[in-house]
Amino acid sequence: MLSDERRRRRSPDPLVALHYQLSSTRREGSLDTVVLADGSGVVVAGAGSWAACEELAAFAPLIARGETFGMDGVTIRSVNIDGDRVLLCARGPASDDARDVAMKRAEDGVSRILSSAA
């Protein structure tokens, strides 16, 4: 059923499409927060509480460089879109395997959405 809902919720607007993608990832991966941030730590799109999205986005560039800040349960993937780097970030109690599966699906969706918008 989630797959059917995901297929119906589409948007030609890249920001709305990103929100739908991240919301689906958050729900499917049982995550607290999923956010797409630019390289300077600014939220591009997110799912979860806005404050948590902003916090995770702000720390994302630092965590991607290996600093942890005591943030447990965080996964960050660097996604290259036509030479520009964005950071896909997730935080939540899901197991590492479940978070990795959800993040791979999100990475594919984010890449598709942003590549078609460019």
Side-chain angles (χ1 to χ4, degrees):
M1 179 162 171
L2 285 176
S3 179
D4 290 340
E5 178 186 332
R6 184 176 58 83
R7 294 284 178 206
R8 282 190 304 243
R9 292 186 68 189
R10 301 258 180 188
S11 175
D13 182 320
L15 288 177
V16 174
L18 285 170
H19 173 73
Y20 287 162
Q21 176 67 53
L22 299 181
S23 292
S24 176
T25 298
R26 179 176 174 245
R27 192 173 43 257
E28 291 173 9
S30 298
L31 299 164
D32 296 330
T33 307
V34 181
V35 66
L36 186 67
D38 68 11
S40 64
V42 175
V43 174
V44 174
S49 79
W50 188 248
C53 287
E54 285 187 322
E55 177 184 40
L56 186 54
F59 281 107
L62 302 172
I63 295 170
R65 287 195 303 251
E67 300 177 39
T68 62
F69 300 100
M71 295 183 91
D72 296 326
V74 174
T75 299
I76 297 183
R77 290 183 179 230
S78 181
V79 182
N80 187 342
I81 307 294
D82 297 328
D84 292 320
R85 181 183 109 163
V86 292
L87 300 169
L88 179 61
C89 317
R91 185 175 192 188
S95 70
D96 289 345
D97 289 341
R99 198 168 38 248
D100 285 344
V101 168
M103 290 292 281
K104 176 60 179 146
R105 188 173 304 128
E107 183 179 356
D108 293 344
V110 164
S111 294
R112 179 185 46 77
I113 292 164
L114 292 178
S115 292
S116 68

